[in-house]
Amino acid sequence: MPKRLPPNVVAGLPKEPDPRQFARTLFWLGWRISAIARLLKIPRTTIYGWHSRDKWADATPLDRVDSAIEARLMQLTMKECKEGRDFKEIDLLGRQLERTARIRKYRDGGDESDLNPKPARERKKPTRNFFSEEQVDKLKSLFDGALFDYQKMWHEAGLEHRTRNILKSRQIGATWYFAREALLDALLTGRNQLFLSASKAQAFVFRGYIVEFAKEVDVELTGAPIKLANDATLHFLPSNPRTAQSYHGNLYIDEYFWLQSFSTLKKVASGMAMHSKWRKTYFSTPSTLNHEAYPFWSGDEFNRRRKKDEQALFDVSHDALKGGLVGPDRQWRNIVTVEDAIAGGCELFDLDELKLEYGPEEYANLLMCQFVDDTASIFPLKLLMGAMVDSWDVWDDFRPFALRPFGEREVWVGYDPSASGDSAAMVVLAPPAVPGGKFRILEREQFHNMDFEAQANAIRNVCLRYNVTYIGIDATGLGQGVLQLVRVFFPAAEAINYNVETKVGMVLKGLDVFNKGRIEFDAGWIDLMQSFMAIRKTSTDSGRQMTFKADRSAAVSHADLAWATLHALHHEPLAGNTEVGMSFMEIS
């Protein structure tokens, strides 16, 4: 039995402790009652009575610790001249008392949050999709500083007119511009922005441009739709009237001359932007004079609803609309050709090279904003539009961004090689899962200025991503070089040697699958449709046989995607598992 208390115990007790509390503390420190009685010179029966009445032996470890902490804390608190270590110990003891109180609360029926409460002051999470005033100002400066003259004209027209209707050349930055304009408008005004395209994949091109624009001021936009911190929302929608009609905001309709059921969609679109605060923007490359959007552009639709003496004159010529013009229907119309774009500061084109690359008809349609009369085309637009689908919604077994987009399902590859100055094209085609079923064009890609080895490597990369079971390559002339390199890793690649019979057979096969609704591709693939529309019926040099061409020469390759598709379809016999829908005599 110890004769004296340890110094640390003495230091934790008051100078003149209450004998009863002192005795209890000694008991909890492990002293026997008889030893406590001798130390305090108090009868053993008195100590034992305190022990029994206060139930010292029944106290929990938590009670004993609380008592010790309380005693020490009171001693330090009452100390007149405190040192730095005293304050540290007071803080530590106070936190320990708080901890034992949480344990007691948990023991009395609480939950785990009592043991581990959240910090009193949580760090505030950053607001999602937030732009500071400085970032918005910088964004506006970047926007203004990157515009060509024709884009500045579009911007000014948008500030003044509710409806803009723009006919444009390919690749002059319209989608890029309107994506940036919409983001800036949403930040400055809080207005919603709606983007309607032929398919969801095409609509998400807008999203990509918007996300990249925000990164220029170090903002990482998330979500689809994108909801900004100021509650403006940017929606990316396919051209499906049933799913698009519930939204309201500024409306952008991309490539509207290539949409299915344009009249129905236009009615829905007008409801989406009916309030005077909303703005509507239609922009597109031209398709055909027979498209149902043409009367909307030309003003015929406006006049059709009016008496003859109330009809108005619309001038939709390039000369009239080059600088923008408000028509009788209050639409601001504008035509921007590739030559206008170059004159407006766009340095992305080599005009002389474009005139060599495209034949007169293709140059006029794709770059000079002239509509096509597709009555001479073997694959008219109306026929092609029957194959358009929103692939992201309809093809639930295809994952375009996966390492194996189509899993282990088989695909066929059609390739149209290129010589110097020409462009090559490749198409990945999913054959029907059942006899007589549908083909699906999963991917299409064009290549420019690539040598034979680079073209073969492009095909090899497709073989690594897909389970390719057939490759068809035009081996006529210089195509032999690509074929031989491909056969190194795919020995079964088929050489397609062009002649009149082969070409007619491929076109007949294409007509068969399109006429019978046996083929699908993403509705946003305007280049593929333009490629098919370029194929025309003609005669051979002797004039004795009918064949097909697409104004194709060493300098012209607008139909390359169509021929690549026909090369892949060539793997199924002409009759396939169905009856041939159109005979040679019917198209001749």
Side-chain angles (χ1 to χ4, degrees):
M1 180 184 71
K3 300 296 184 180
R4 299 174 60 189
L5 288 174
N8 61 329
V9 174
V10 175
L13 295 173
K15 293 180 179 179
E16 296 182 4
D18 175 32
R20 188 166 180 166
Q21 291 183 2
F22 192 11
R24 183 187 65 180
T25 300
L26 292 174
F27 179 80
W28 284 348
L29 286 171
W31 287 52
R32 298 176 64 180
I33 290 178
S34 57
I36 297 172
R38 284 194 296 271
L39 177 68
L40 298 181
K41 297 181 175 56
I42 297 175
R44 181 180 179 280
T45 54
T46 301
I47 301 296
Y48 190 80
W50 294 344
H51 166 275
S52 300
R53 286 194 296 272
D54 295 342
K55 298 181 180 180
W56 293 353
D58 295 337
T60 66
L62 192 63
D63 294 330
R64 301 181 186 192
V65 170
D66 263 349
S67 177
I69 292 174
E70 180 183 1
R72 179 63 175 162
L73 185 60
M74 291 178 66
Q75 181 190 24
L76 290 171
T77 303
M78 297 301 295
K79 186 176 180 181
E80 292 186 4
C81 299
K82 298 181 180 69
E83 300 177 13
R85 61 183 181 181
D86 296 329
F87 290 108
K88 290 182 180 180
E89 188 175 357
I90 288 171
D91 178 66
L92 174 63
L93 294 172
R95 285 188 276 117
Q96 290 304 315
L97 277 178
E98 180 184 351
R99 177 65 177 168
T100 56
R102 291 201 302 267
I103 294 174
R104 185 172 280 106
K105 184 177 180 182
Y106 173 75
R107 187 187 60 186
D108 292 341
D111 52 34
E112 290 186 7
S113 64
D114 296 321
L115 291 177
N116 298 290
K118 294 180 180 179
R121 290 188 178 182
E122 286 189 329
R123 180 176 296 178
K124 189 176 181 182
K125 294 181 180 179
T127 305
R128 186 184 182 193
N129 298 336
F130 172 77
F131 292 79
S132 66
E133 291 186 12
E134 292 78 10
Q135 287 172 318
V136 174
D137 290 341
K138 184 179 179 181
L139 211 62
K140 189 176 187 309
S141 178
L142 291 170
F143 174 79
D144 292 336
L147 300 184
F148 298 125
D149 290 347
Y150 55 93
Q151 293 169 333
K152 293 177 182 177
M153 179 171 58
W154 294 345
H155 181 58
E156 292 170 1
L159 297 176
E160 185 176 354
H161 307 288
R162 282 194 62 227
T163 305
R164 294 174 292 183
N165 198 341
I166 299 166
L167 194 66
K168 68 176 189 70
S169 164
R170 290 180 66 180
Q171 301 298 320
I172 64 170
T175 305
W176 174 87
Y177 164 77
F178 288 119
R180 293 162 73 97
E181 176 194 86
L183 175 59
L184 195 57
D185 182 85
L187 291 170
L188 293 174
T189 69
R191 293 187 292 191
N192 295 337
Q193 313 291 323
L194 315 176
F195 303 93
L196 254 66
S197 294
S199 67
K200 187 178 293 185
Q202 186 72 13
F204 267 61
V205 174
F206 282 103
R207 186 184 183 280
Y209 284 133
I210 288 170
V211 169
E212 289 301 316
F213 191 28
K215 285 181 180 178
E216 294 185 34
V217 293
D218 300 320
V219 174
E220 191 77 30
L221 290 178
T222 59
I226 297 173
K227 188 174 181 62
L228 301 178
N230 67 351
D231 290 332
T233 305
L234 289 72
H235 295 276
F236 309 95
L237 308 169
S239 57
N240 185 338
R242 290 172 297 183
T243 58
Q245 59 188 350
S246 59
Y247 300 98
H248 300 281
N250 288 339
L251 181 63
Y252 295 88
I253 303 183
D254 180 23
E255 296 293 3
Y256 74 92
F257 272 112
W258 300 90
L259 297 179
Q260 294 174 301
S261 306
F262 172 77
S263 297
T264 302
L265 182 65
K266 185 170 68 66
K267 292 178 182 178
V268 173
S270 63
M272 297 167 73
M274 184 174 290
H275 295 168
S276 59
K277 66 177 180 178
W278 305 130
R279 179 171 60 194
K280 293 180 290 183
T281 303
Y282 301 83
F283 64 101
S284 180
T285 52
S287 58
T288 75
L289 294 169
N290 297 320
H291 193 276
E292 59 181 308
Y294 186 78
F296 172 71
W297 163 260
S298 66
D300 290 345
E301 182 182 284
F302 177 85
N303 286 328
R304 195 180 298 158
R305 301 191 300 265
R306 285 163 174 79
K307 297 178 182 179
K308 189 172 183 179
D309 59 345
E310 295 177 350
Q311 294 180 358
L313 179 64
F314 287 80
D315 187 349
V316 291
S317 66
H318 174 255
D319 289 342
L321 302 182
K322 180 179 179 180
L325 181 68
V326 179
D329 55 358
R330 294 189 179 181
Q331 289 190 52
W332 182 85
R333 288 177 173 82
N334 177 223
I335 295 178
V336 182
T337 67
V338 68
E339 296 176 6
D340 296 331
I342 293 172
C346 182
E347 300 175 349
L348 304 176
F349 303 100
D350 183 330
L351 196 58
D352 293 332
E353 185 175 336
L354 289 175
K355 289 179 178 178
L356 290 174
E357 184 177 348
Y358 293 96
E361 291 184 3
E362 285 74 27
Y363 184 85
N365 172 233
L366 301 177
L367 303 173
M368 296 302 291
C369 301
Q370 295 185 22
F371 288 87
V372 173
D373 183 356
D374 66 343
T375 54
S377 174
I378 291 297
F379 295 92
L381 180 61
K382 186 175 181 180
L383 175 64
L384 299 171
M385 291 177 73
M388 295 165 58
V389 297
D390 189 346
S391 63
W392 283 16
D393 281 343
V394 176
W395 299 346
D396 55 8
D397 59 347
F398 178 58
R399 305 285 187 272
F401 303 112
L403 293 176
R404 300 283 289 181
F406 206 45
E408 296 306 315
R409 295 274 302 277
E410 72 168 312
V411 300
W412 301 345
V413 173
Y415 196 77
D416 191 35
S418 70
S420 177
D422 195 6
S423 69
M426 176 167 53
V427 163
V428 178
L429 185 75
V434 296
K438 289 187 177 184
F439 292 93
R440 288 180 285 171
I441 305 177
L442 305 180
E443 286 190 23
R444 91 281 188 230
E445 192 168 0
Q446 289 177 290
F447 310 98
H448 298 274
N449 302 318
M450 289 172 55
D451 58 28
F452 292 159
E453 185 176 359
Q455 294 178 56
N457 285 335
I459 298 175
R460 183 199 299 270
N461 290 335
V462 167
C463 292
L464 294 174
R465 297 171 56 238
Y466 290 92
N467 177 23
V468 179
T469 60
Y470 170 78
I471 299 177
I473 301 177
D474 172 14
T476 307
L478 296 176
Q480 274 290 339
V482 178
L483 177 67
Q484 296 307 317
L485 292 173
V486 169
R487 281 182 171 170
V488 173
F489 59 86
F490 197 92
E494 180 179 353
I496 299 176
N497 296 298
Y498 269 42
N499 55 44
V500 173
E501 289 76 15
T502 301
K503 187 178 289 189
V504 169
M506 288 193 301
V507 172
L508 283 173
K509 181 62 183 179
L511 286 170
D512 181 55
V513 296
F514 273 103
N515 275 307
K516 292 181 177 177
R518 293 189 59 219
I519 189 167
E520 295 178 342
F521 57 84
D522 191 85
W525 291 1
I526 295 169
D527 52 354
L528 182 69
M529 290 186 280
Q530 289 173 324
S531 186
F532 271 102
M533 288 168 56
I535 299 178
R536 308 291 177 88
K537 181 175 66 177
T538 186
S539 59
T540 60
D541 293 339
S542 65
R544 296 178 182 178
Q545 289 181 289
M546 184 270 295
T547 186
F548 302 97
K549 71 172 186 177
D551 196 17
R552 186 180 179 88
S553 65
V556 180
S557 57
H558 178 46
D560 49 9
L561 285 171
W563 292 119
T565 304
L566 296 176
H567 294 166
L569 289 172
H570 182 67
H571 189 48
E572 184 181 80
L574 179 59
N577 293 294
T578 64
E579 297 180 2
V580 177
M582 182 173 290
S583 68
F584 179 90
M585 294 301 296
E586 286 179 297
I587 62 174
S588 62

